Amino acid sequence: MLMAPINPSDINMVEGTYFIRPSLPAIPGNEGVGEVVEVGSAVKTLQVGDWVNPADSGWGTWRNWAVSSPAELSKVSNDIPVMAAATLVVNPCTAYRMLKDFIQLQPGDVVIQNGANSSVGQAVIQLARQWNIRTVNIVRNRPELEKLAEALKKLGADHVITEEFARSGEMKIFMQSLNSKPKLALNCVGGKSATELLRNLDQKGVMVTYGGMSKQPILVPTGSLIFKEVEIKGYWNTEWNKCHRDSSKKQAMLDELCDLIRKGQFLLPDSYDYPLEMHKTAVELAMEGFKCKKVMFNINRDV
C-alpha cells in the first residue's frame, strides 16, 4: 500500500453504523492505492509496478501489505499524483455521478449544496466549473470564513454562504438575484440544512442525499412536495460501483477525471499525512469538524 485516506464511511464502519459491516477481525479502510510488487504466474491482467485500487468497499486499505486476487483490484493510472490515485474512486466519482445522473443540467444551470468544504463538495465545485454549471455553496460559520470562501472560489465556487444566511430572510433576495433557481441540490448534512435546500429548489428540482453528518432526519416541507413536485433521491457510491464494476461508463468517468488531474484542472485538497503507527492521532483529527484538508495515511512510500 502507498496511500489511503480516512473517509467518513471508514469511521462509520469502525463505529458499526455503516451499512457494510465486515466480519471481525477486520482491517479498516475502503479506499487507497497500492503498488503491485509481485504477481503469480497465472496473473495476466496486472504486472509489477502497476498501481491498483480496491474494486469493492471493505477491502481494508489501512495496512502496509496485502495478498489479493486480481478480481479484487482495479488498475489505476500511475502518471497522476499518488494522492490523486488514492482518493480517486470515492469523492470525485460521487460528485461526478450526482451531477450527471439525476437531472439533465445545462450550462448556466444552478446547483446548491451543503457541506461545500468537504472533499465531495470541493469536487462538485471543480466539475461544475468545467461544465459551466453555477454553484451555491453552503458552509458552517467559523472564525476563518473569509479564508475558506476565498479558497472555494479559487476552485470555481460562484457563491459561498453560511447555514445561518441560508435560514435568514436575506436568502430569498439572494436567490432572486440568481435569475434561476437551483435544479439540483446535494445534501450531506441532513436535518434543517437539508430542509433549506428543498425550500430553494426550482419546480420539479431534485435533492440527492449522499451523507447525513448531522445525524438528524430530513424534514420535508409539504409545499415543496405538492406544489413544487420536488424529488428526493439517495446516492451510494458503493452500490453504483457494484452495478457498473467493469462498465465502459465507469471507465469513461475515470479517464475524464484522470485527464482533468493531469491538466491541473482538478486540484486535490491539502492533506495531513500520517504513518500508520500514528493511526489514533490521524483518526481523531479526521473526526474533527471545520477542516478543508484530507487526513491521509502515508504508507510504504519508499517501496
Side-chain angles (χ1 to χ4, degrees):
M1 291 302 298
L2 298 177
M3 210 170 213
I6 303 177
N7 290 321
S9 59
D10 301 322
I11 303 297
N12 295 154
M13 189 176 286
V14 172
E15 292 173 331
T17 60
Y18 198 58
F19 187 78
I20 296 175
R21 299 186 182 184
S23 301
L24 299 178
I27 298 172
N30 292 297
E31 186 181 29
V33 63
E35 180 180 350
V36 177
V37 294
E38 185 177 341
V39 297
S41 58
V43 175
K44 305 301 180 184
T45 55
L46 296 170
Q47 58 186 4
V48 172
D50 284 347
W51 284 5
V52 290
N53 299 132
D56 297 304
S57 297
W59 186 84
T61 58
W62 299 359
R63 53 173 148 179
N64 296 91
W65 307 87
V67 178
S68 184
S69 70
E72 297 175 311
L73 304 170
S74 296
K75 186 175 176 180
V76 63
S77 297
N78 59 8
D79 61 349
I80 58 176
V82 66
M83 183 180 173
T87 58
L88 181 65
V89 297
V90 175
N91 296 319
C93 292
T94 296
Y96 190 105
R97 297 265 57 99
M98 290 194 301
L99 289 171
K100 287 284 191 181
D101 291 351
F102 292 92
I103 194 166
Q104 188 68 43
L105 295 170
Q106 302 295 333
D109 283 343
V110 180
V111 171
I112 188 169
Q113 65 168 340
N114 56 25
N117 59 304
S118 68
S119 296
V120 172
Q122 293 183 53
V124 166
I125 289 169
Q126 295 187 79
L127 291 175
R129 178 187 58 182
Q130 292 297 320
W131 301 332
N132 296 314
I133 297 164
R134 294 181 288 163
T135 56
V136 175
N137 302 279
I138 303 174
V139 299
R140 287 185 292 174
N141 203 358
R142 64 197 68 204
E144 296 184 344
L145 178 62
E146 290 187 10
K147 184 177 179 181
L148 171 61
E150 181 181 353
L152 294 180
K153 287 181 178 179
K154 282 184 178 179
L155 292 178
D158 295 283
H159 306 280
V160 180
I161 60 176
T162 65
E163 294 274 6
E164 292 78 7
F165 182 91
R167 290 194 290 268
S168 72
E170 297 176 87
M171 185 65 173
K172 184 176 181 180
I173 299 171
F174 166 71
M175 294 303 296
Q176 289 173 345
S177 73
L178 298 177
N179 296 321
S180 60
K181 289 186 175 182
K183 292 184 176 181
L184 178 67
L186 305 177
N187 166 51
C188 68
V189 178
K192 293 180 180 179
S193 179
T195 303
E196 295 307 319
L197 292 182
L198 287 166
R199 292 190 196 281
N200 290 293
L201 269 179
D202 197 4
Q203 193 76 19
K204 295 189 177 182
V206 178
M207 184 178 79
V208 182
T209 291
Y210 65 99
M213 298 306 294
S214 71
K215 298 184 179 179
Q216 297 296 317
I218 296 172
L219 304 176
V220 182
T222 303
S224 295
L225 280 178
I226 297 175
F227 303 118
K228 291 206 298 184
E229 300 178 279
V230 300
E231 293 185 59
I232 301 170
K233 303 277 190 175
Y235 177 79
W236 188 28
N237 196 59
T238 296
E239 184 65 20
W240 192 93
N241 278 325
K242 187 185 298 183
C243 295
H244 299 81
R245 183 164 179 159
D246 298 313
S247 71
S248 58
K249 190 174 185 179
K250 179 179 179 179
Q251 191 58 52
M253 172 180 64
L254 294 173
D255 289 345
E256 184 175 353
L257 288 170
C258 287
D259 190 48
L260 290 173
I261 291 167
R262 293 186 197 99
K263 292 177 179 177
Q265 296 173 344
F266 188 96
L267 303 179
L268 306 174
D270 293 333
S271 65
Y272 300 104
D273 292 2
Y274 289 91
L276 282 175
E277 292 75 15
M278 295 183 66
H279 57 272
K280 183 177 179 181
T281 300
V283 170
E284 287 175 346
L285 179 60
M287 294 177 70
E288 293 179 3
F290 301 105
K291 296 188 308 301
C292 278
K293 291 186 177 183
K294 194 79 175 171
V295 183
M296 304 287 298
F297 285 123
N298 200 334
I299 317 165
N300 288 331
R301 290 299 306 281
D302 296 324
V303 172

